Amino acid sequence: MQKHTVFEGILERGMVGIVRAPSAQAALQIAEACIAGGITALEVAFTTPDTLGVLRTLRERHGDEVLLGAGTVLDTETARAAILAGAQFIISPGVNVETIALCQRYQVLAMPGAMTPTEIVTALQAGADIVKVFPAEMFGPAYIKALRAPLPQAPLMPTGGVTVENLHAWFASGAVAVGIGSSLSGPGATGDYAAVTARAQAFVAKMAAVRSQSSVLVIKP
């Protein structure tokens, strides 16, 4: 799948579900629960055991029906391994310009994490496709709106603190997508994968409502 197709796919979906678990099996079950609920863009965090195995398995099972990325990527070695395992986008908690350059070399979406305007501009100059604003819960949707004033060209994806209840506020403030963690996958920690599916369905329904009830459709940078 071409990089621009992955980019458009994330904008269309508007949500990236974060899969982070204490075991590879639990990660696969959480991922499958998210997919069953309609969230089909997933980030598998490298804090999960055998992340590469999880990526390969999900890619084999779902092909290009699911947009699949690797998260918590700190260096080029990890990024390249994830790409070879089937990752279509690379997400980092911070800005590592070498990792961004590697993603561009292989035409894989680069999504580094940043918080300040300086970090965001540094990421964009290095070739970031989408900037993950993290940890977004520290300042809330108002911070995204404040960033978009001087940086309207920046494609921002707040991650942290995104819930069904505040989903609209993030997009109304100018987010192009959101990363969803524990408010989606939380029940997976106790093995309640049906609840993960239910939460995914709630997010998908809310996203449809957000886009139908306001001018927030597919926000592009």
Side-chain angles (χ1 to χ4, degrees):
M1 185 180 290
Q2 295 293 315
K3 185 176 79 166
H4 72 270
T5 304
V6 178
F7 180 79
E8 292 294 336
I10 288 176
L11 295 193
E12 289 168 6
R13 289 164 174 78
M15 300 179 290
V16 175
I18 301 168
V19 177
R20 191 187 306 274
S23 71
Q25 184 58 34
L28 285 169
Q29 290 181 287
I30 289 171
E32 294 292 356
C34 290
I35 294 166
I39 292 185
T40 56
L42 297 175
E43 165 200 340
V44 182
F46 258 97
T47 51
T48 298
D50 192 22
T51 298
L52 297 176
V54 174
L55 289 169
R56 291 191 193 97
T57 299
L58 290 173
R59 176 61 62 233
E60 290 169 1
R61 288 179 182 176
H62 300 283
D64 287 336
E65 294 299 314
V66 173
L67 299 181
L68 189 60
T72 322
V73 176
L74 304 180
D75 49 51
T76 56
E77 295 83 0
T78 305
R80 181 61 175 148
I83 292 167
L84 291 172
Q88 296 161 308
F89 54 91
I90 298 296
I91 300 182
S92 305
V95 179
N96 182 292
V97 295
E98 290 83 8
T99 298
I100 296 170
L102 181 137
C103 289
Q104 297 302 341
R105 183 180 306 132
Y106 293 104
Q107 287 298 282
V108 171
L109 216 64
M111 303 168 66
M115 194 63 187
T116 68
T118 298
E119 292 171 342
I120 292 168
V121 171
T122 298
L124 293 175
Q125 289 178 166
D129 298 291
I130 295 174
V131 179
K132 165 186 168 180
V133 179
F134 173 81
E137 68 264 35
M138 299 304 294
F139 297 102
Y143 186 60
I144 302 299
K145 183 177 181 180
L147 289 171
R148 291 279 294 185
L151 299 171
Q153 79 281 13
L156 304 177
M157 185 180 79
T159 300
V162 177
T163 66
V164 169
E165 292 74 22
N166 66 21
L167 189 64
H168 178 274
W170 295 105
F171 285 94
S173 297
V176 300
V178 294
I180 309 171
S182 59
S183 62
L184 168 65
S185 62
T190 58
D192 191 353
Y193 303 112
V196 175
T197 295
R199 290 191 180 190
Q201 291 170 331
F203 269 107
V204 170
K206 182 64 173 181
M207 178 63 76
V210 165
R211 288 178 167 167
S212 66
Q213 296 174 7
S214 73
S215 60
V216 183
L217 299 173
V218 178
I219 301 179
K220 299 186 178 183

